[in-house]
Amino acid sequence: MSTKKKLIYTIAALAALFIILTLCEQLLPASSMLFIVLKKGAIYALVAVSMNLVNGFTGLFSLGQAGFMLIGAYTYAIFTIPLKEHAAVYQYFDGGIIQFTVPILVALVMAGLAAAIFAFLIGLPVLRLKSDYLAIATLGFAEIIRAFFQWDAFGPVTNASNLLRKFPTFDTVYFPFIVSGICIAVIVLLINSSYGRAFKAIRDDEIAAEAMGINLAKHKQMSFTISSFFAGIGGALLAMYQTTVQAGAFKSSMTYELLLIVVIGGLGSVSGSVLASFLFIAASEWWLRFLDTDTYIGAFKVPLLGSGFRMVVFSVIIMIVVLFYRQGIMGDKEFSFGAFGDIRRFFRKRFGRKEVTK
Amino acid sequence: MEFITSNLPYLLAGISVGGQYALIAIGYTMVYGILRLINFAHGDIFMVAGFLMVYLSATLPIYVSLPLVILITVLLGFVVERVAYKPLRTAPRMSIMISAIGVSYLLQNCAFYFTSGLAKQYPVIPGISSSVAIAGATTKLVTLVTPVLTIVLVVVLVLLIKYTKIGMAMRAVSRDFETSQLMGIKINSVISTTFIIGSLLAAVASILYFSNYSTVTPTSGAMPGLKAFVAAVFGGIGSIPGAVVGAFIIGICENIIKGLGLTTFSDAFTFALLIIILVAKPTGLFGEKFTDKV
């Protein structure tokens, strides 16, 4: 397929997405579950893709994503809470010490940069470690970051273990879609660049990659830092979505959830991660909701259903995917418009032959 | 003297928690030694053992429920290995670790479902839940029982590994997976035994730990689990005495930090220690130096 055709298809797909989103905005009531899925799904898609960049494309098993999201969320919140709200938000810390605000977009970039700087510093010692040691060390760092943000001594900046709130948020679905879309596009461009190829080479065989002249430390550091940059932006978006931030929410279980999304989508597939994020959020927040409520058919109470059963079913599904469909939805392949052509050819072949046999 | 009396409670609590971490850490270190897998679900097995005790002791007398808890936990550990790890034996290490995370997620969600997410009161176990006074510091009897029981269990385990046939098989498998298989060692039964021993010790640890802290929640296994893993790394992964020493050090340090009024950092300290160890001496205190098999 030619690049020109591809471009046209991409623009058409984006336009279609825009129209669908607009239709949803106009037609559906604001309380519809679809909006939760779309907003949260878009945010999770960004974070999952950023995690995939490290885990799936560079082959570094990092479990620090929740920590970097926390940094992003806090950076965004701290620098955007309107000055007149400071007295109410920082009620135990005399209105806090950061007495200025920055525009939302600047704050988003700052959120990413803050996470990236932390990641760079953390990466210096940690990235030398091998697979599972790296996993546990990054997990540990996320916990340390969480402890620091809850420390009373940083209260004037981070509000200690109290909520940060009243910062600007979004209410349309466009905002998370546009921000995540741009970020994911940048990640895709990076993956397709020579750096991206170096990442993949490191994933497939470190020794061979080094022999080919790839600077391992530099590229690992780069992948880790860039991934954290986007995780930071994702954290900021999540803060906007939730309208409040508290360090206690960014536990390691959040990282695990993201990792499971990445695995379901397929390690090493951006479109897989995006798809899996929406599926994961839709399944956990919406489609499986009915499992959580007691249901009666006449006088008969459907057994098992009740609070929490949704997550049990959900984790069983995840275990089945992990055990039997290890490749996930997409494996390491990407969605492409060419695939449609393949499907068409496939059907034509099938049904074409039938016609002949008639 | 005043210093000692004011700090003795923390030291005692540290030794006690250290013993409980040690029992969990052995499960991690043995599994890692053989499968090279961080069994993320181990902390949750420990948590499930806590809930089992809560539910069983509600209907059964304590002398029945205690052995039953241990038995069911062992069974759970065995089943988890067979269902979630065995099919992935030839898969890359990342998949099996992801499977472990999946099991942990599943166990936590199941616990949440069965308990509706509420913290449950741990039953009083006669003999270890009563209070005693030592040198002016009041503590639960479990504080004294834990280190003794831990050391007894560890000695038994070390003897088992050193002098029995299955122990020899375990050592062989942890040395070289493939070669030991070629030598006729039934690898699956060795791995199952490892998980059984690990779960058994986790069950004992849960009885001691929750008698001390008195409530169980679906997430109360995660932190002790991670800390026990850090202890295993600190002591040198694969080494049982190392795990025990590491666990005691971490337990004591953590409680001293709490005593200094920096409770927020008691968890962070553990991880800081982990990172320092990993960067400075990845083999830990007692770890054997082995070359990476690529």
Side-chain angles (χ1 to χ4, degrees):
Chain A
M1 188 179 284
S2 67
T3 18
K4 204 175 167 192
K5 220 172 174 184
K6 228 180 206 170
L7 189 71
I8 293 169
Y9 277 133
T10 313
I11 290 169
L14 286 177
L17 180 69
F18 179 75
I19 290 166
I20 291 168
L21 285 183
T22 315
L23 283 178
C24 290
E25 282 268 284
Q26 299 300 328
L27 298 178
L28 290 172
S31 58
S32 169
M33 287 304 274
L34 187 64
F35 288 119
I36 296 180
V37 173
L38 287 176
K39 288 176 190 170
K40 214 175 166 188
I43 297 165
Y44 267 62
L46 170 59
V47 186
V49 170
S50 79
M51 193 166 189
N52 209 343
L53 176 65
V54 172
N55 290 30
F57 286 99
T58 323
L60 299 169
F61 200 2
S62 153
L63 293 177
Q65 226 64 1
F68 300 124
M69 286 171 75
L70 182 145
I71 294 173
Y74 263 84
T75 313
Y76 172 77
I78 288 165
F79 288 107
T80 52
I81 295 176
L83 288 179
K84 62 177 191 303
E85 305 285 3
H86 270 223
V89 175
Y90 290 100
Q91 51 182 333
Y92 305 109
F93 299 100
D94 301 329
I97 51 165
I98 306 249
Q99 290 298 352
F100 61 92
T101 57
V102 296
I104 293 178
L105 288 180
V106 178
L108 274 181
V109 175
M110 278 169 70
L113 285 177
I117 291 167
F118 266 91
F120 180 78
L121 295 175
I122 291 169
L124 287 177
V126 167
L127 286 176
R128 284 190 286 160
L129 302 171
K130 286 260 162 21
S131 63
D132 28 11
Y133 284 112
L134 175 68
I136 203 90
T138 43
L139 194 70
F141 259 117
E143 291 292 324
I144 295 173
I145 290 169
R146 197 155 62 87
F148 267 99
F149 274 82
Q150 286 175 309
W151 192 19
D152 279 344
F154 291 149
V157 182
T158 63
N159 213 9
S161 52
N162 306 305
L163 283 177
L164 282 175
R165 58 207 158 84
K166 305 228 164 129
F167 45 81
T169 55
F170 58 78
D171 27 51
T172 60
V173 291
Y174 301 123
F175 188 79
F177 264 85
I178 293 170
V179 175
S180 301
I182 293 171
C183 293
I184 291 173
V186 172
I187 296 176
V188 170
L189 288 177
L190 177 78
I191 287 168
N192 291 333
S193 71
S194 64
Y195 291 114
R197 262 168 242 149
F199 294 162
K200 287 182 207 162
I202 292 172
R203 170 192 67 187
D204 292 339
D205 193 333
E206 279 197 12
I207 295 169
E210 204 170 18
M212 290 295 133
I214 293 169
N215 185 340
L216 287 188
K218 188 182 132 199
H219 282 89
K220 282 182 178 177
Q221 184 69 266
M222 202 167 127
S223 160
F224 191 64
T225 310
I226 293 172
S227 156
S228 307
F229 176 83
F230 290 112
I233 293 182
L237 287 177
L238 193 66
M240 294 171 99
Y241 167 75
Q242 289 173 334
T243 68
T244 55
V245 183
Q246 197 190 15
F250 293 85
K251 288 210 172 77
S252 47
S253 54
M254 187 183 248
T255 310
Y256 294 160
E257 264 183 22
L258 287 165
L259 180 70
L260 293 172
I261 290 179
V262 172
V263 171
I264 293 169
L267 276 165
S269 167
V270 171
S271 38
S273 292
V274 174
L275 200 63
S277 306
F278 284 104
L279 280 178
F280 188 95
I281 300 292
S284 71
E285 304 269 336
W286 189 17
W287 296 338
L288 297 178
R289 272 277 165 202
F290 72 94
L291 293 171
D292 256 9
T293 43
D294 296 331
T295 314
Y296 292 90
I297 302 174
F300 172 71
K301 183 178 180 294
V302 182
L304 293 174
L305 297 191
S307 173
F309 190 59
R310 170 178 59 117
M311 293 312 281
V312 174
V313 172
F314 192 49
S315 32
V316 169
I317 297 174
I318 289 176
M319 275 315 288
I320 291 170
V321 172
V322 169
L323 286 177
F324 301 109
Y325 304 98
R326 229 179 299 150
Q327 291 295 307
I329 301 172
M330 302 288 286
D332 56 359
K333 298 190 179 54
E334 290 295 346
F335 168 83
S336 70
F337 293 107
F340 286 129
D342 289 345
I343 292 167
R344 210 169 52 208
R345 242 166 301 178
F346 174 77
F347 277 106
R348 197 179 287 161
K349 223 177 183 178
R350 266 281 160 86
F351 297 110
R353 194 178 293 159
K354 251 182 198 166
E355 274 159 27
V356 171
T357 47
K358 254 180 209 170
Chain B
M1 192 61 208
E2 201 181 322
F3 177 78
I4 294 173
T5 43
S6 62
N7 282 298
L8 192 65
Y10 296 113
L11 196 65
L12 284 175
I15 293 171
S16 155
V17 169
Q20 289 142 16
Y21 287 164
L23 292 177
I24 312 173
I26 291 169
Y28 276 108
T29 213
M30 284 177 70
V31 168
Y32 193 92
I34 287 180
L35 281 182
R36 297 281 178 269
L37 157 76
I38 302 175
N39 185 8
F40 279 104
H42 196 61
D44 298 287
I45 287 176
F46 162 83
M47 173 272 296
V48 170
F51 276 122
L52 282 174
M53 188 69 201
V54 171
Y55 284 106
L56 289 177
S57 67
T59 50
L60 296 170
I62 209 89
Y63 54 86
V64 182
S65 51
L66 269 181
L68 210 57
V69 164
I70 294 178
L71 191 73
I72 298 176
T73 313
V74 164
L75 212 64
L76 178 70
F78 174 76
V79 170
V80 162
E81 193 276 322
R82 277 293 147 106
V83 174
Y85 304 149
K86 193 171 168 240
L88 298 176
R89 201 122 312 148
T90 51
R93 260 163 76 190
M94 204 151 158
S95 327
I96 183 165
M97 208 146 118
I98 289 162
S99 178
I101 289 175
V103 172
S104 151
Y105 196 65
L106 176 67
L107 288 178
Q108 275 186 25
N109 284 329
C110 284
F112 193 86
Y113 172 58
F114 285 114
T115 63
S116 320
L118 302 171
K120 296 277 174 185
Q121 195 67 33
Y122 203 73
V124 173
I125 297 169
I128 61 172
S129 296
S130 45
S131 298
V132 284
I134 312 154
T138 319
T139 179
K140 282 184 178 176
L141 201 56
V142 66
T143 320
L144 303 179
V145 174
T146 306
V148 179
L149 191 60
T150 307
I151 289 166
V152 170
L153 284 172
V154 169
V155 169
V156 171
L157 184 62
V158 169
L159 291 178
L160 181 95
I161 286 176
K162 220 163 189 174
Y163 295 111
T164 61
K165 206 173 167 188
I166 185 80
M168 196 195 264
M170 279 178 186
R171 278 182 287 145
V173 174
S174 73
R175 261 308 144 96
D176 194 323
F177 203 87
E178 274 91 31
T179 314
S180 56
Q181 216 166 2
L182 294 174
M183 294 297 140
I185 291 172
K186 289 191 182 62
I187 218 122
N188 286 328
S189 70
V190 171
I191 292 170
S192 290
T193 316
T194 315
F195 274 84
I196 286 170
I197 293 173
S199 309
L200 182 115
L201 295 177
V204 175
S206 102
I207 292 165
L208 297 170
Y209 182 87
F210 291 118
S211 294
N212 208 2
Y213 284 85
S214 67
T215 52
V216 197
T217 64
T219 51
S220 54
M223 248 318 142
L226 279 176
K227 282 181 185 163
F229 178 75
V230 175
V233 174
F234 185 47
I237 200 119
S239 147
I240 289 170
V244 175
V245 173
F248 275 113
I249 292 176
I250 284 178
I252 292 169
C253 289
E254 186 188 299
N255 276 282
I256 286 174
I257 289 172
K258 276 185 190 158
L260 294 173
L262 295 168
T263 313
T264 341
F265 288 101
S266 66
D267 295 348
F269 160 78
T270 314
F271 291 108
L273 185 73
L274 169 80
I275 288 156
I276 293 167
I277 281 288
L278 283 181
V279 172
K281 195 172 186 298
T283 50
L285 292 178
F286 297 89
E288 290 172 47
K289 221 176 160 56
F290 51 84
T291 46
D292 256 332
K293 279 169 278 177
V294 182

